[in-house]
């Protein structure tokens, strides 16, 4: 029983971080139907911002989180204006974004690799290697803090979307872009705002990832399938679905890693992606597409 509880705690803590990693990806797709394959590479960019702030200035990663978020949100605005805004009226916009963001991911990987090489790095504040001990259980402080902060950020995002005027506009745009525009919503501004928030969440996730996982520029290739699994299982565009799917899959992966082998835990996400596309393509909380 102690072993099961131990694995469950570790799975839930990491699940919170993965939920934050996927929430920006889900938000951007929900509002603009952008399949952002560059999202993991932008998370790594946020991790590098936090890494160098810690290494050069001694700034704690959690303290650096809002700064990294703002920096990445500003980069998000620039990327949207330069790459994605022109084609919003295209009937095949989603398909085009796959190619554009894949190319962006390669550019970001190459730029980070050129600047920092492919050496694995990790931020090491004191709590990253410490733990709480409760009887036979140990709870790593780094994973616990990262999981809690991630869920707090997602809760704040949920409250913003549910109760603020801008949140109403974002949700209206998500549900029906054309109807929202007819009702006076400036969907172009909302699109820029939502993309900035999504990339800002990537920056926040990068700050937490920086002391939970080791990272290097090419790491994004391992994360994209994991994040797509979480977002697709939860339902594309559903923040709640992303959280539920991330927690569920992380716990399953933790048990697989403990009882079968660490190299098999990642397979959990691939199998989940395959099964959900086969059985319920709209995901747990997604709406079934209408047949023409």
């Amino acid at each position: 029983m102690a072993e099961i509880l131990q694995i469950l705690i570790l799975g839930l803590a990491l699940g919170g971080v993965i939920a934050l990693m996927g929430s920006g990806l889900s938000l951007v797709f929900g509002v603009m139907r952008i399949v952002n394959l560059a999202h993991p590479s932008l998370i790594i960019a946020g991790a590098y911002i936090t890494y160098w702030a810690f290494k050069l200035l001694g700034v704690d990663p959690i303290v650096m989180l809002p700064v990294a978020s703002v920096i990445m949100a500003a980069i998000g605005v620039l990327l949207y204006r330069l790459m994605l805004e022109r084609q919003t009226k295209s009937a095949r916009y989603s398909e085009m974004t796959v190619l554009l963001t894949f190319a962006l991911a390669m550019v970001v990987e190459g730029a980070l690799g050129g600047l920092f090489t492919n050496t694995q790095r990790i931020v090491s504040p004191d709590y990253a290697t410490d733990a709480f001990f409760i009887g036979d259980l140990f709870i790593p402080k780094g994973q616990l803090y990262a999981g809690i902060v991630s869920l707090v950020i997602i809760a704040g995002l949920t409250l913003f979307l549910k109760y603020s005027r801008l949140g109403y506009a974002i949700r209206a745009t998500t549900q029906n872009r054309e109807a929202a525009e007819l009702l006076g919503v400036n969907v172009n501004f909302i699109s820029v705002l939502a993309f900035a928030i999504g990339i800002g969440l990537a920056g926040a996730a990068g700050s937490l990832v920086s002391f939970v996982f080791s990272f290097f520029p090419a790491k994004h290739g391992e994360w994209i399938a994991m994040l797509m699994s979480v977002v697709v299982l939860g339902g594309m565009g559903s923040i709640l679905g992303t959280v539920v799917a991330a927690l569920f899959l992380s716990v399953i992966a933790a048990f697989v890693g403990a009882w079968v082998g660490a190299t098999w835990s990642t397979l959990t996400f691939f199998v989940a992606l395959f099964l959900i596309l086969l059985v319920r393509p709209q995901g747990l909380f997604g709406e079934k597409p209408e047949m023409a």
Side-chain angles (χ1 to χ4, degrees), residues 182-195:
L182 288 173
L183 291 173
V185 175
N186 186 340
V187 294
N188 292 327
F189 170 75
I190 292 300
S191 296
V192 175
L193 176 64
F195 195 79

Side-chain angles (χ1 to χ4, degrees), residues 22-36 39 93-95 97-98 173-175 177 194-195 198 228 231-232 235-239 242 281-282 286:
S23 60
L25 181 62
S26 183
L27 176 67
V28 166
F29 178 82
V31 176
M32 294 170 287
R33 296 297 184 266
I34 293 175
V35 182
N36 187 9
H39 195 79
Y93 185 58
S94 291
E95 293 91 332
T97 64
V98 172
T173 305
T174 300
Q175 293 169 4
R177 188 180 183 92
F195 195 79
M228 289 302 296
V231 172
V232 171
M236 295 290 281
S238 171
I239 301 297
T242 298
Q282 71 269 29

Side-chain angles (χ1 to χ4, degrees), residues 237-273:
S238 171
I239 301 297
L240 174 61
T242 298
V243 174
V244 172
L247 295 175
F248 174 72
L249 290 180
S250 295
V251 168
I252 298 300
F255 278 103
V256 171
W259 291 348
V260 181
T263 56
W264 291 93
S265 61
T266 307
L267 184 64
T268 304
F269 294 92
F270 294 99
V271 171
L273 180 59

Side-chain angles (χ1 to χ4, degrees), residues 34-57:
I34 293 175
V35 182
N36 187 9
L37 298 184
H39 195 79
S41 64
L42 296 172
I43 291 175
I44 292 174
Y48 272 107
I49 292 172
T50 303
Y51 173 84
W52 288 110
F54 179 81
K55 188 173 180 65
L56 299 177
L57 304 174

Side-chain angles (χ1 to χ4, degrees), residues 45-266:
Y48 272 107
I49 292 172
T50 303
Y51 173 84
W52 288 110
F54 179 81
K55 188 173 180 65
L56 299 177
L57 304 174
V59 181
D60 185 272
I62 296 178
V63 174
M64 188 63 188
L65 185 150
V67 179
S69 299
V70 171
I71 292 173
M72 292 307 299
I75 291 173
V77 172
L78 184 62
L79 290 175
Y80 182 78
R81 293 291 193 188
L82 291 176
M83 293 182 57
L84 300 166
E85 188 175 36
R86 302 175 188 177
Q87 306 297 330
T88 53
K89 301 296 184 181
S90 171
R92 307 192 67 179
Y93 185 58
S94 291
E95 293 91 332
M96 293 176 64
T97 64
V98 172
L99 298 176
L100 285 171
T101 58
F102 176 77
L104 175 61
M106 296 299 101
V107 170
V108 173
E109 178 188 339
L112 293 176
L115 290 171
F116 308 123
T117 73
N118 269 318
T119 303
Q120 294 201 46
R121 304 176 191 269
I122 191 167
V123 178
S124 302
D126 293 338
Y127 52 79
T129 54
D130 200 358
F132 295 108
F133 290 89
I134 305 173
D136 294 332
L137 300 176
F138 76 93
I139 306 174
K141 291 183 178 179
Q143 293 183 16
L144 178 64
Y145 294 165
I148 291 173
V149 171
S150 295
L151 294 178
V152 168
I153 292 172
I154 293 172
L157 173 65
T158 302
L159 292 174
F160 167 75
L161 293 175
K162 189 172 183 179
Y163 294 111
S164 70
R165 291 182 63 85
L166 287 174
Y168 292 150
I170 289 174
R171 287 192 291 125
T173 305
T174 300
Q175 293 169 4
N176 192 314
R177 188 180 183 92
E178 290 74 19
E181 191 168 18
L182 288 173
L183 291 173
V185 175
N186 186 340
V187 294
N188 292 327
F189 170 75
I190 292 300
S191 296
V192 175
L193 176 64
F195 195 79
I197 293 173
I199 305 306
L201 291 171
S207 292
L208 300 177
V209 161
S210 69
F211 63 87
V212 174
F213 304 110
S214 62
F215 61 92
F216 55 96
K219 184 78 172 179
H220 72 97
E222 300 176 27
W223 286 348
I224 186 58
M226 178 181 71
L227 296 186
M228 289 302 296
S229 300
V230 167
V231 172
V232 171
L233 176 59
M236 295 290 281
S238 171
I239 301 297
L240 174 61
T242 298
V243 174
V244 172
L247 295 175
F248 174 72
L249 290 180
S250 295
V251 168
I252 298 300
F255 278 103
V256 171
W259 291 348
V260 181
T263 56
W264 291 93
S265 61
T266 307

